[in-house]
Coordinates of all heavy atoms in Angstrom, one line a residue:
Chain A
S185 N 80.6 101.8 106.8 CA 79.3 101.4 106.1 C 79.5 100.1 105.4 O 78.6 99.4 105.2 CB 78.9 102.6 105.3 OG 79.8 102.9 104.1
A186 N 80.7 100.0 104.8 CA 81.0 98.7 104.1 C 80.8 97.4 104.9 O 80.5 96.5 104.2 CB 82.3 98.8 103.4
L367 N 82.5 116.0 119.8 CA 82.9 117.2 119.1 C 84.4 117.1 118.6 O 84.7 117.3 117.4 CB 82.8 118.5 120.1 CG 83.0 119.8 119.2 CD1 81.8 120.0 118.6 CD2 83.2 120.9 120.3
R371 N 84.5 116.6 114.6 CA 84.4 117.9 114.1 C 85.8 118.7 114.1 O 85.9 119.9 113.8 CB 83.3 118.7 114.9 CG 81.8 118.2 114.5 CD 81.4 118.3 113.1 NE 81.4 119.6 112.7 CZ 80.5 120.6 112.9 NH1 79.3 120.1 113.5 NH2 80.5 121.7 112.3
T372 N 86.9 118.1 114.7 CA 88.0 118.8 114.6 C 89.1 118.3 113.7 O 88.9 117.0 113.4 CB 88.7 119.0 116.1 OG1 89.1 117.8 116.4 CG2 87.8 119.6 117.0
R373 N 90.1 119.0 113.3 CA 91.2 118.5 112.5 C 91.9 117.4 113.4 O 92.4 116.4 112.8 CB 92.0 119.6 112.2 CG 91.6 120.4 111.0 CD 92.2 121.8 110.8 NE 91.8 122.7 111.9 CZ 92.1 124.0 111.9 NH1 93.0 124.5 111.1 NH2 91.6 124.8 112.9
F376 N 90.0 114.1 113.3 CA 90.3 113.5 112.0 C 91.6 112.9 111.8 O 91.7 111.8 111.5 CB 90.1 114.7 110.8 CG 89.9 114.3 109.5 CD1 88.7 114.1 108.8 CD2 91.0 113.8 108.8 CE1 88.7 113.8 107.6 CE2 90.9 113.4 107.5 CZ 89.7 113.5 106.8
Y379 N 91.9 109.5 113.8 CA 91.4 108.2 113.1 C 92.5 107.9 112.1 O 92.7 106.7 111.8 CB 90.1 108.6 112.5 CG 88.9 108.5 113.4 CD1 88.1 109.8 113.9 CD2 88.5 107.3 114.0 CE1 87.1 109.7 114.7 CE2 87.6 107.3 115.0 CZ 86.8 108.5 115.3 OH 85.8 108.4 116.1
M380 N 92.9 108.9 111.2 CA 93.8 108.6 110.2 C 95.0 107.9 110.7 O 95.5 106.8 110.1 CB 94.1 109.8 109.3 CG 92.9 110.4 108.7 SD 92.1 109.4 107.5 CE 93.1 109.8 105.9
S383 N 95.1 104.2 111.6 CA 95.0 103.2 110.7 C 96.5 103.1 110.1 O 96.9 102.0 109.8 CB 94.1 103.6 109.6 OG 92.8 103.2 110.1
N384 N 97.3 104.3 110.0 CA 98.4 104.2 109.2 C 99.2 105.5 109.5 O 98.9 106.5 108.8 CB 98.4 104.0 107.7 CG 99.5 103.9 107.0 OD1 100.6 104.3 107.5 ND2 99.5 103.1 105.9
E386 N 102.4 106.5 109.0 CA 103.3 107.1 108.0 C 102.5 107.7 106.9 O 102.9 108.8 106.4 CB 104.1 106.0 107.5 CG 105.3 105.6 108.4 CD 106.3 106.8 108.5 OE1 107.0 107.1 107.6 OE2 106.2 107.5 109.5
A387 N 101.5 107.0 106.5 CA 100.7 107.6 105.3 C 100.0 108.9 105.7 O 99.9 109.8 104.9 CB 99.6 106.4 104.8
T388 N 99.7 108.9 106.9 CA 98.9 110.2 107.4 C 100.1 111.2 107.5 O 99.9 112.4 107.1 CB 98.4 110.0 108.8 OG1 97.6 108.8 108.7 CG2 97.6 111.1 109.4
R389 N 101.3 110.9 107.8 CA 102.3 111.9 107.9 C 102.6 112.5 106.5 O 102.9 113.6 106.2 CB 103.6 111.4 108.5 CG 104.7 112.4 108.9 CD 105.7 111.7 109.7 NE 106.5 110.7 109.0 CZ 107.7 111.0 108.6 NH1 108.1 112.1 108.7 NH2 108.5 110.0 107.9
Y390 N 102.7 111.4 105.6 CA 103.0 111.8 104.2 C 102.1 112.7 103.6 O 102.2 113.4 102.7 CB 103.0 110.6 103.2 CG 104.6 110.1 103.2 CD1 105.1 109.4 104.3 CD2 105.2 110.2 102.1 CE1 106.6 109.0 104.2 CE2 106.4 109.7 101.9 CZ 107.2 109.1 103.0 OH 108.4 108.6 102.9
S391 N 100.7 112.6 104.2 CA 99.6 113.5 103.7 C 99.7 114.9 104.3 O 98.9 115.9 104.1 CB 98.3 113.0 103.9 OG 98.2 111.6 103.3
G392 N 100.8 115.1 105.0 CA 101.1 116.5 105.6 C 100.4 116.8 106.9 O 100.5 118.0 107.5
V393 N 100.0 115.8 107.6 CA 99.4 115.9 108.9 C 100.6 115.9 109.9 O 101.4 115.0 109.8 CB 98.4 114.7 109.2 CG1 98.0 114.9 110.8 CG2 97.2 114.8 108.4
N394 N 100.5 116.8 110.9 CA 101.7 116.6 111.9 C 101.3 115.7 113.0 O 100.7 115.9 113.9 CB 101.7 118.0 112.6 CG 102.9 118.2 113.5 OD1 103.6 117.3 113.9 ND2 103.2 119.6 113.8
G450 N 92.0 103.2 114.6 CA 91.4 103.9 113.4 C 90.0 103.8 113.2 O 89.4 104.6 112.6
F451 N 89.2 103.0 114.0 CA 87.9 102.8 114.0 C 87.2 102.8 115.3 O 87.8 102.1 116.1 CB 87.4 101.8 113.1 CG 87.8 101.9 111.8 CD1 89.1 101.2 111.1 CD2 87.0 102.7 110.8 CE1 89.4 101.5 109.9 CE2 87.6 102.8 109.4 CZ 88.7 102.3 109.0
F508 N 82.8 84.4 100.3 CA 83.6 83.7 99.2 C 82.6 82.7 98.5 O 82.7 82.6 97.3 CB 84.8 83.2 99.8 CG 86.0 84.0 99.8 CD1 86.6 84.3 101.0 CD2 86.5 84.5 98.6 CE1 87.7 85.2 101.0 CE2 87.5 85.5 98.6 CZ 88.1 85.8 99.8
Chain B
G253 N 88.2 83.9 95.2 CA 86.9 84.5 95.2 C 86.4 84.7 93.7 O 86.3 83.7 93.0
L536 N 111.9 112.7 98.0 CA 111.5 113.0 99.4 C 112.1 114.3 99.9 O 111.6 114.9 100.7 CB 111.9 111.9 100.3 CG 111.2 110.5 100.1 CD1 111.7 109.5 100.9 CD2 109.7 110.8 100.4
F539 N 110.1 117.1 98.7 CA 108.8 117.1 99.4 C 108.9 117.5 100.9 O 108.1 117.5 101.7 CB 108.1 115.8 99.2 CG 106.7 115.7 99.7 CD1 105.8 116.6 99.4 CD2 106.3 114.7 100.6 CE1 104.5 116.5 99.8 CE2 105.0 114.6 101.1 CZ 104.1 115.6 100.7
M541 N 110.5 115.8 103.1 CA 110.6 114.8 104.2 C 111.9 114.6 104.8 O 112.2 114.1 105.8 CB 110.0 113.5 103.6 CG 108.6 113.5 103.1 SD 107.4 113.6 104.3 CE 107.3 112.1 105.1
N561 N 107.2 118.1 105.4 CA 106.5 118.1 104.3 C 105.4 119.1 104.2 O 104.7 119.4 103.4 CB 105.9 116.7 103.9 CG 105.1 116.1 104.9 OD1 105.1 116.6 106.1 ND2 104.2 115.2 104.6
R562 N 105.0 119.5 105.5 CA 103.9 120.5 105.6 C 104.4 121.9 105.0 O 103.6 122.6 104.2 CB 103.6 120.8 107.1 CG 102.7 119.7 107.6 CD 102.3 119.9 109.0 NE 103.6 119.9 109.9 CZ 104.3 118.8 110.2 NH1 103.8 117.7 109.9 NH2 105.4 118.9 111.0
I565 N 104.0 121.4 101.3 CA 102.8 121.5 100.7 C 102.3 123.0 100.7 O 101.7 123.4 99.8 CB 101.8 120.7 101.8 CG1 102.2 119.1 101.6 CG2 100.3 120.9 101.4 CD1 101.5 118.2 102.7
S578 N 101.1 101.6 101.4 CA 101.5 102.0 102.8 C 101.8 103.4 103.0 O 101.9 104.0 104.1 CB 102.7 101.0 103.4 OG 103.7 101.1 102.5
L579 N 102.0 104.2 101.9 CA 102.3 105.7 102.1 C 101.4 106.5 101.4 O 101.2 107.7 101.8 CB 103.9 105.9 101.7 CG 104.9 105.1 102.4 CD1 106.2 105.6 101.9 CD2 104.8 105.6 103.9
V582 N 95.7 105.9 103.2 CA 95.4 105.2 104.6 C 94.4 104.2 104.2 O 93.2 104.6 104.2 CB 94.9 106.3 105.7 CG1 94.7 105.6 106.8 CG2 96.0 107.4 105.8
P584 N 92.6 101.4 105.1 CA 91.3 101.1 105.6 C 90.4 102.3 105.7 O 89.2 102.0 105.9 CB 91.7 100.4 106.9 CG 93.0 100.8 107.3 CD 93.6 101.3 106.1
Q585 N 90.8 103.5 105.8 CA 89.9 104.6 106.0 C 89.1 104.9 104.7 O 89.4 104.3 103.6 CB 90.6 105.8 106.5 CG 91.3 105.6 107.9 CD 90.3 105.7 109.0 OE1 89.2 106.1 108.8 NE2 90.7 105.3 110.2
S589 N 87.7 110.6 103.6 CA 88.7 111.0 104.4 C 90.1 111.0 103.6 O 90.8 112.0 103.9 CB 89.0 110.0 105.7 OG 87.7 110.0 106.4
A594 N 94.7 116.2 103.3 CA 95.8 117.1 103.1 C 95.3 118.6 103.1 O 96.0 119.4 103.2 CB 96.5 116.8 101.9
L596 N 92.7 119.8 105.4 CA 91.7 119.9 106.5 C 91.5 121.4 106.8 O 90.5 121.7 107.3 CB 92.2 119.1 107.8 CG 92.3 117.6 107.6 CD1 92.9 117.1 108.8 CD2 90.9 117.2 107.4
D597 N 92.6 122.2 106.8 CA 92.4 123.7 107.0 C 91.4 124.3 106.2 O 90.8 125.3 106.7 CB 93.9 124.5 106.8 CG 94.8 123.8 107.8 OD1 94.5 123.3 108.8 OD2 96.0 124.0 107.6
V600 N 87.3 124.1 107.7 CA 86.8 124.5 108.9 C 85.9 125.7 108.7 O 86.1 126.4 107.8 CB 88.0 124.9 109.9 CG1 88.8 123.7 110.4 CG2 88.9 126.0 109.3
D601 N 84.9 125.8 109.6 CA 84.0 127.0 109.5 C 84.4 128.0 110.5 O 85.6 127.9 110.9 CB 82.5 126.5 109.9 CG 82.5 125.6 111.3 OD1 83.4 126.0 112.2 OD2 81.5 125.0 111.5
L605 N 85.7 124.6 113.4 CA 85.4 123.1 113.3 C 85.1 122.7 112.0 O 84.9 123.5 111.1 CB 83.9 123.0 114.1 CG 84.0 123.2 115.7 CD1 82.6 123.2 116.2 CD2 84.8 122.4 116.4
L606 N 85.4 121.4 111.7 CA 85.3 120.9 110.4 C 83.9 120.9 110.1 O 83.0 120.4 110.8 CB 85.7 119.3 110.5 CG 87.2 119.0 110.7 CD1 87.5 117.5 110.6 CD2 88.0 119.8 109.5
D631 N 83.0 104.3 101.8 CA 83.6 103.0 101.7 C 85.1 103.1 101.9 O 85.7 104.1 101.6 CB 83.4 102.5 100.4 CG 82.0 102.0 100.1 OD1 81.1 102.0 101.0 OD2 81.6 101.8 99.0
P632 N 85.7 102.1 102.5 CA 87.2 102.2 102.6 C 87.8 102.4 101.2 O 87.3 101.8 100.2 CB 87.5 100.7 103.1 CG 86.4 100.2 103.7 CD 85.1 100.8 103.0
K648 N 93.6 114.1 96.2 CA 94.1 114.5 97.6 C 95.2 115.7 97.3 O 95.1 116.8 97.9 CB 94.7 113.4 98.3 CG 95.5 113.8 99.5 CD 96.0 112.6 100.4 CE 97.2 112.0 99.8 NZ 97.8 111.0 100.7
W649 N 96.0 115.5 96.4 CA 97.0 116.4 96.0 C 96.6 117.6 95.3 O 97.0 118.8 95.6 CB 98.2 115.8 95.6 CG 99.0 114.9 96.5 CD1 99.3 113.6 96.4 CD2 99.5 115.2 97.8 NE1 99.8 113.1 97.6 CE2 99.9 114.1 98.4 CE3 99.5 116.5 98.5 CZ2 100.5 114.1 99.8 CZ3 100.1 116.5 99.8 CH2 100.5 115.4 100.3

Side-chain angles (χ1 to χ4, degrees):
Chain A
S185 63
L367 189 74
R371 294 292 301 277
T372 67
R373 283 163 279 185
F376 191 102
Y379 281 112
M380 295 297 272
S383 283
N384 184 336
E386 277 299 282
T388 309
R389 192 167 72 95
Y390 267 70
S391 300
V393 173
N394 190 340
F451 295 95
F508 272 119
Chain B
L536 288 181
F539 188 50
M541 301 294 287
N561 62 339
R562 286 179 298 284
I565 294 167
S578 56
L579 297 179
V582 181
Q585 293 287 346
S589 299
L596 293 180
D597 292 343
V600 294
D601 56 22
L605 296 175
L606 290 180
D631 289 345
K648 168 175 82 177
W649 290 120

